[in-house]
Amino acid sequence: MRIVSIEPLNRRKSRVLTDEGPAFALYNGELEAYGLTLDGELDGEMYERLLREILCPRAKERMLHLLEASDRTEAELRRRLREGGFPAEAVEAAIDYGKRRRYVDDRRYAENYVSFRAASRSRRQLEAELAARGISRDLARECLEEIQIDEGEQVRRLLEKRGFDPENADEGERRRTMAFLSRRGFSYEAILDIMHKKY
């Protein structure tokens, strides 16, 4: 591999790009210590050494730091580590470490997410939010099946909060309210059922 670019990220750190794809960030002192220069060769042995001595341990440390603040999905961690300048091998090593020790567990994340938010969100909304966090549709559905979500009760509470009066609402207010509830992911059956009841 040939080093085709060394771009400063800040005063202390630079991003190294090779002609064969691997890109990674190192401190400037590390570039010097390992003899990495623009247009210089980076052989497989040296790259493995960088992974073993610097990049994999640093990716693992970064992953643990990210998990200190809150639980994260595997997809979120992968994205954050890649954005942090870690090559694919270091990202995979960190994720594998986290999974072996159960620091990274998408099922636990999804179950917790659903249990904390089920009272205020529709099934479709929860599914979409989990998908946005990298949880597979199948896993999201499994977790949602394990918990009872009473959409009718959720719709009723939202309508009460909005001050919706089914007896005195005009057609425009009904349409706006239905659109609001629909955007929140509630089924038309649940919306119509509750909107036409006096609660």
Side-chain angles (χ1 to χ4, degrees):
M1 283 185 273
R2 191 172 59 83
I3 297 173
V4 295
S5 172
I6 298 178
E7 305 166 2
L9 295 173
N10 55 40
R11 288 185 349 196
R12 298 175 25 191
K13 213 170 189 183
S14 296
R15 181 174 177 264
V16 177
L17 181 66
T18 69
D19 61 352
E20 293 183 23
F24 49 89
L26 291 175
Y27 288 102
N28 296 332
E30 293 167 342
L31 290 172
E32 192 176 319
Y34 285 86
L36 303 179
T37 58
L38 185 61
D39 291 324
E41 283 298 314
L42 176 62
D43 63 29
E45 188 177 314
M46 177 59 80
Y47 184 62
E48 289 299 320
R49 186 175 162 208
L50 286 169
L51 285 171
R52 185 177 63 253
E53 294 177 4
I54 296 177
L55 299 170
C56 288
R58 195 170 286 159
K60 181 173 72 172
E61 186 179 309
R62 176 69 178 140
M63 178 199 65
L64 293 172
H65 177 73
L66 289 168
L67 289 170
E68 280 178 3
S70 67
D71 203 10
R72 297 180 189 271
T73 64
E74 186 176 328
E76 288 174 313
L77 288 168
R78 279 181 201 284
R79 180 182 56 79
R80 294 291 297 270
L81 290 172
R82 280 194 309 266
E83 288 171 356
F86 294 101
E89 298 92 337
V91 171
E92 290 308 311
I95 296 292
D96 287 345
Y97 173 85
K99 287 168 97 172
R100 282 194 312 272
R101 285 160 179 76
R102 293 193 40 86
Y103 300 149
V104 180
D105 185 341
D106 280 358
R107 175 171 290 282
R108 181 189 64 226
Y109 181 94
E111 287 170 351
N112 289 339
Y113 193 92
V114 167
S115 69
F116 286 125
R117 292 166 178 81
S120 62
R121 288 177 172 76
S122 69
R123 182 175 294 276
R124 277 189 279 187
Q125 192 175 17
L126 286 167
E127 221 175 280
E129 289 173 2
L130 286 170
R133 286 163 174 75
I135 300 293
S136 74
R137 191 169 297 279
D138 290 339
L139 179 55
R141 286 185 177 148
E142 282 177 35
C143 293
L144 286 165
E145 284 171 12
E146 293 170 8
I147 195 162
Q148 294 298 320
I149 297 176
D150 185 350
E151 280 200 341
E153 178 60 22
Q154 289 176 321
V155 169
R156 187 189 66 72
R157 277 191 312 228
L158 279 171
L159 292 178
E160 276 183 356
K161 191 175 178 179
R162 284 178 66 98
F164 179 79
D165 180 2
E167 290 184 346
N168 298 319
D170 64 19
E171 194 56 38
E173 188 178 352
R174 284 182 183 279
R175 277 198 304 272
R176 285 190 300 277
T177 302
M178 284 184 72
F180 164 76
L181 293 168
S182 181
R183 284 191 303 273
R184 300 287 297 260
F186 294 105
S187 67
Y188 280 111
E189 295 78 20
I191 295 169
L192 292 172
D193 184 50
I194 298 299
M195 281 184 70
H196 290 96
K197 286 182 180 174
K198 177 146 176 58
Y199 48 85

